Amino acid sequence: MKLAAMQPYFLPYLGYWQLLAAVDRFVVLDDVAFIQRGWVNRNRILVNGESHLFTLPLRAASQNRRINELELAVDASWLKRFRSTLRQSYQRAPYFEETSALLDPILNQCSGLLLPLLLDSIHAVARHLEIGTSLVLASALDPDHRDHGQERILDLCRLENATDYYNLPGGKALYDSEAFQRAGILLRFVEPEQTRYPQSSGQWTPWLSIIDVMMHLGRVGTRRILLRHRITETEQVCHQ
């Protein structure tokens, strides 16, 4: 059973979706601390051919609060500006209409708590890209949440009877492969490739939000490049 665990991000880059598609079960880490200037409520798109960071406004956001406690502070003027930015930036992209039809219902839900919006956006994009991986909230799976960091991940693996734990390359600095081996779990990493695709700017800017990929490649083309990654692993597991 292949498992991954990650914070919920708002319309994240392609690698997030490659990780989601590579596993059987995806644990949404909704009960961990919010990271200021992280990717939970931010990402990048192209504006006038340049990388542009957009941010979902939050109310009283703090690293002392968990993701599932945060509330959106999105108002009508922010939504209007963001929709206008998307239109001005991508209206000539080949799949603007198709991708806008996906994004509009997501953006219409920008009120109340942050977590439902993040979950709805993940589910909507996953359905669009035909990713059938099931999602579970860490707060539901492990409500006591006694451990942190690597030990929390190992706890989640045990609760889900995982044989393989998948992560993105950033996890190489976070996890001790020997600890996973002792637990009988194979530690694997999804290594996204920088797949160039035509962008409206005429130059190449990698690792933008999935918005940019879908605007330029559409559903079918985006599904095709979901497969363009490598799976690397640690040494073979020593079962004990």
Side-chain angles (χ1 to χ4, degrees):
M1 209 285 287
K2 297 177 288 187
L3 186 76
M6 187 72 68
Q7 297 95 327
Y9 294 159
F10 186 62
L11 301 170
Y13 87 120
L14 182 67
Y16 191 98
W17 305 101
Q18 291 175 322
L19 177 65
L20 181 63
V23 298
D24 303 307
R25 189 94 150 148
F26 189 92
V27 179
V28 178
L29 298 174
D30 64 312
D31 55 1
V32 299
F34 173 72
I35 298 176
Q36 296 277 18
R37 301 185 182 278
W39 297 105
V40 168
N41 65 319
R42 310 192 313 161
N43 218 287
R44 300 182 303 131
I45 56 175
L46 283 180
V47 175
N48 297 322
E50 301 290 336
S51 175
H52 168 78
L53 184 71
F54 68 85
T55 304
L56 277 172
L58 301 177
R59 184 168 288 109
S62 164
Q63 295 192 169
N64 296 320
R65 302 182 69 189
R66 296 178 179 183
I67 293 171
N68 58 15
E69 297 172 335
L70 296 173
E71 187 176 356
L72 289 158
V74 176
D75 57 20
S77 63
W78 184 92
L79 274 175
K80 183 178 179 180
R81 289 195 306 273
F82 187 62
R83 290 181 190 274
S84 177
T85 298
L86 289 177
R87 176 168 291 278
Q88 291 173 13
S89 300
Y90 292 108
Q91 60 185 340
R92 294 185 180 179
Y95 296 94
F96 174 75
E97 296 297 336
E98 176 186 284
T99 305
S100 294
L102 170 68
L103 296 177
D104 281 345
I106 295 172
L107 295 175
N108 288 338
Q109 301 176 64
C110 284
S111 62
L113 291 173
L114 171 65
L115 182 62
L117 172 66
L118 297 179
L119 293 176
D120 287 346
S121 66
I122 292 171
H123 280 296
V125 174
R127 284 194 303 269
H128 187 68
L129 299 179
E130 300 178 27
I131 300 172
T133 303
S134 62
L135 274 65
V136 61
L137 292 177
S139 60
L141 184 61
D142 178 30
D144 293 335
H145 192 176
R146 287 186 288 266
D147 291 320
H148 301 273
Q150 177 174 278
E151 288 306 312
R152 177 89 191 286
I153 296 299
L154 287 169
D155 287 343
L156 294 171
C157 286
R158 295 184 189 102
L159 288 167
E160 287 293 298
N161 296 313
T163 57
D164 302 60
Y165 180 71
Y166 281 57
N167 203 259
L168 292 170
K172 291 180 179 180
L174 300 176
Y175 301 127
D176 175 10
S177 62
E178 291 185 0
F180 281 82
Q181 289 179 22
R182 287 193 296 272
I185 300 165
L186 186 62
L187 182 59
R188 297 178 182 265
F189 296 95
V190 175
E191 309 266 1
E193 295 181 5
Q194 281 196 27
T195 303
R196 290 177 176 265
Y197 55 89
Q199 291 175 327
S200 54
S201 63
Q203 60 185 13
W204 171 242
T205 305
W207 309 134
L208 298 173
S209 164
I210 195 67
I211 293 173
D212 188 81
V213 184
M214 294 190 299
M215 287 287 190
H216 290 107
L217 295 184
R219 183 183 64 83
V220 175
T222 303
R223 270 193 52 79
R224 189 176 300 121
I225 67 170
L226 276 175
L227 303 175
R228 297 183 185 177
H229 61 270
R230 295 181 301 112
I231 304 294
T232 61
E233 60 187 60
T234 57
E235 297 175 1
Q236 290 298 312
V237 180
C238 298
H239 294 283
Q240 297 183 5

